[in-house]
Amino acid sequence: MADPHPNRRSATITEGDQRAPNRAMLRAVGFGDDDFAKPIVGIANGQSDITPCNAGLGELAGAAASALRESGAMPQTFGTITVSDGISMGTEGMKCSLVSREVIADSIETVCRAQALDGLIAVGGCDKNMPGAMIAMGRLDIPAVFVYGGTIKPGHYAGEDLTIVSVFEAVGAHGAGRLSDGDFLEIERRACPGRGSCGGMFTANTMSSAFEALGMSLPASSTMAAEDGEIVDGATAAARALIGLIERELTPSRIMTKPAFENAIAVTMAVGGSTNAVLHLLAIAHATGVDLDLDDFERIRARVPVLADLKPSGRYVATDFHRAGGVPLVMRMLLEAGLLHGDCPTVTGRTIAENLADVPASPPEGQDVVRPFGDPVYDSGHLAILRGNLAEEGAVAKISGVEHPEITGPARVFDSEEACMQAIMEDRIRPGDVVVIRYEGPRGGPGMREMLSPTSAIIGKGLGDSVGLITDGRFSGATHGMVVGHVAPEAQVGGNLALVREGDSITIDAKQRLLQLNLDPGELEQRRRGWQPPAPRYSSGVLAKYAKLVSSAALGAVTD
């Protein structure tokens, strides 16, 4: 059997030793004779000035490297890409966002396999380098720890906490004449005051919370602020934890089990997390070999209450949540209620229950960020799995903050996000309409763009409680309202979404978990006979390759 760790050995010279060239290369980057017997650990560094989410990650990677050296390991740092959803939102470039998750996963896997690394620390801080890193960890199954780059602190204007969503919603409010030019500009100027990932329980903070619940990051690390000193201490502690994992040969496949994924789903529901968690957890489970499907999300949703009152539909931001007790508090509350598997192992070397032993079992007095178990924000989870003739494989509805989670109305059909956005800004969408944005799925987009611009514009126009929206694309973690995404099968592959016509009656009923085109089956079949798939939008390059490989959103939009 081939040695899985060809570099982790003594530098003693033997006759015909074919590893001498390997050692010679490593000497050039600082290895001495004694270092070849030490664990060689990769640090996947997502540092990038492209986005505030990743602008401080280099410091965390450096802190982890120093701690690894002090602990007797040899760190090897390498970079991986990132893109900014917030900057590309509403543009053609947003098609590359979900694609980047796969590129990141592939790049980390490639480096770790090529260099036969003994362990991995991944440092990430945005929507896609986080799940991308976790997918790679699942594929590699070498000891690994995830380090989160931290959340941004809120901006402030006119007595309100601001996040990036404040700007998106201001676009609609300004277009509707409900916001002055001066206020609009000040919201833009103040919304993002420094480094860190988007500040509500949007996708980045949702995934960091889910990873903590999975057991793949350190307790209390998922809601730290990017610009606070404790985030560096956390990276140092993560590096030391990884050494323990290597010594015990405790790998992700022993941590990321089916019960651990159920813990992650439970915490996602309890904190009011992003719809993207469904897509990413399915993909991570696929990479780890865990049988997870949409029915698991619905089963857990039905029994887990929403305990944290967090933006986008709630009042508070992640830094408020952190001060109140953060993910450990919510996990302890769920554990006490029998809604968490306490025996799951974690990267600390201890179980979930052991990690939470000293955490209070109820929220502290004098705050209402985290509600008592008997007085939750919502009695059950906010991410509902809908099915029906428009979503035979399933769709995801985010129903938090929605007064009336059902609507039947005429379809307003758009074959792209841009066409829909134009109609909203021109006041062509009316109360009672059900907006359909199609050919934006994993294959059709390609890339399954997030629809934050149109959903925020609908909110800004004052239509959030009276207009439904369905799409085979995704939603930002910042989206709220009567919205249904991840519709599968998608339009591009012949899903019934492709057959909807302007004015058709559509029902969205989150209570009954129904997404239905109210049309005679015979008429639907007649339309199908006349339908032809549109030509692919790209014939070469990364988007063309992705469109050929990607699976249904119901399977996590995976490419392997």
Side-chain angles (χ1 to χ4, degrees), residues 63-399:
S66 296
L68 287 167
R69 288 192 188 92
E70 292 170 3
S71 301
M74 294 301 291
Q76 300 283 279
T77 301
F78 60 93
T80 185
I81 69 160
T82 194
V83 300
S84 171
D85 289 6
I87 295 172
S88 63
M89 195 74 69
T91 74
E92 189 81 357
M94 187 62 197
K95 294 180 179 181
C96 294
S97 173
L98 189 58
V99 175
S100 77
R101 185 191 75 179
E102 305 306 301
V103 176
I104 292 161
D106 291 351
S107 68
I108 294 173
E109 179 190 7
T110 300
V111 171
C112 291
R113 289 196 190 282
Q115 305 308 126
L117 298 178
D118 297 300
L120 170 66
I121 285 181
V123 186
C126 73
D127 290 17
K128 305 308 171 305
N129 63 26
M130 298 170 70
M134 294 294 287
I135 289 169
M137 290 176 182
R139 293 175 185 171
L140 290 161
D141 202 30
I142 59 175
V145 180
F146 183 81
V147 174
Y148 182 40
T151 184
I152 196 172
K153 294 181 179 180
H156 303 283
Y157 180 64
E160 297 289 333
D161 283 348
L162 302 178
T163 69
I164 186 61
V165 180
S166 306
V167 185
F168 280 98
E169 293 183 359
V171 171
H174 184 254
R178 297 167 53 226
L179 191 68
S180 71
D181 292 351
D183 286 340
F184 182 58
L185 183 57
E186 287 304 313
I187 290 172
E188 179 204 312
R189 284 173 172 163
R190 299 168 186 257
C192 298
R195 296 198 312 262
S197 298
C198 297
M201 191 48 68
F202 310 150
T203 302
N205 285 322
T206 298
M207 297 317 300
S208 67
S209 300
F211 296 170
E212 185 174 329
L214 265 175
M216 289 300 295
S217 60
L218 295 184
S221 66
S222 58
T223 51
M224 294 178 180
E227 296 184 321
D228 286 352
E230 65 177 339
I231 200 86
V232 178
D233 297 336
T236 299
R240 292 173 180 152
L242 180 62
I243 297 300
L245 297 178
I246 293 171
E247 291 171 349
R248 291 189 295 274
E249 297 184 349
L250 182 56
T251 66
S253 65
R254 292 171 57 194
I255 296 174
M256 291 196 288
T257 60
K258 180 67 175 282
F261 277 98
E262 292 178 342
N263 286 346
I265 295 169
V267 168
T268 297
M269 296 295 178
V271 300
S274 166
T275 54
N276 282 312
V278 178
L279 196 75
H280 295 326
L281 288 173
L282 287 171
I284 297 164
H286 172 80
T288 314
V290 170
D291 183 17
L292 191 72
D293 61 31
L294 290 176
D295 291 336
D296 292 311
F297 287 84
E298 181 57 34
R299 172 173 53 84
I300 294 168
R301 181 202 71 80
R303 59 193 181 92
V304 174
V306 178
L307 298 172
D309 188 11
L310 299 172
K311 290 178 181 292
S313 59
R315 294 177 291 166
Y316 297 103
V317 295
T319 50
D320 299 321
F321 182 41
H322 189 65
R323 284 191 295 270
V327 170
L329 171 60
V330 168
M331 289 181 69
R332 179 62 191 271
M333 293 171 67
L334 294 175
L335 183 66
E336 290 295 305
L339 297 174
L340 216 61
H341 302 284
D343 57 349
C344 291
T346 73
V347 293
T348 66
R350 300 185 298 273
T351 65
I352 290 286
E354 290 169 339
N355 286 342
L356 298 174
D358 296 328
V359 176
S362 58
E365 298 290 335
Q367 61 81 46
D368 56 358
V369 182
V370 180
R371 301 271 283 273
F373 201 87
D375 183 28
V377 182
Y378 302 104
D379 291 334
S380 58
H382 64 300
L383 300 179
I385 305 303
L386 274 54
R387 298 184 190 273
N389 66 2
L390 275 181
E392 293 168 317
E393 293 177 5
V396 183
K398 188 174 186 179
I399 58 177

Side-chain angles (χ1 to χ4, degrees), residues 525-542:
E525 186 55 37
Q526 183 176 343
R527 290 184 188 183
R528 180 172 301 285
R529 287 194 293 268
W531 176 82
Q532 292 292 327
R537 286 171 164 150
Y538 295 85
S539 58
S540 63
V542 67

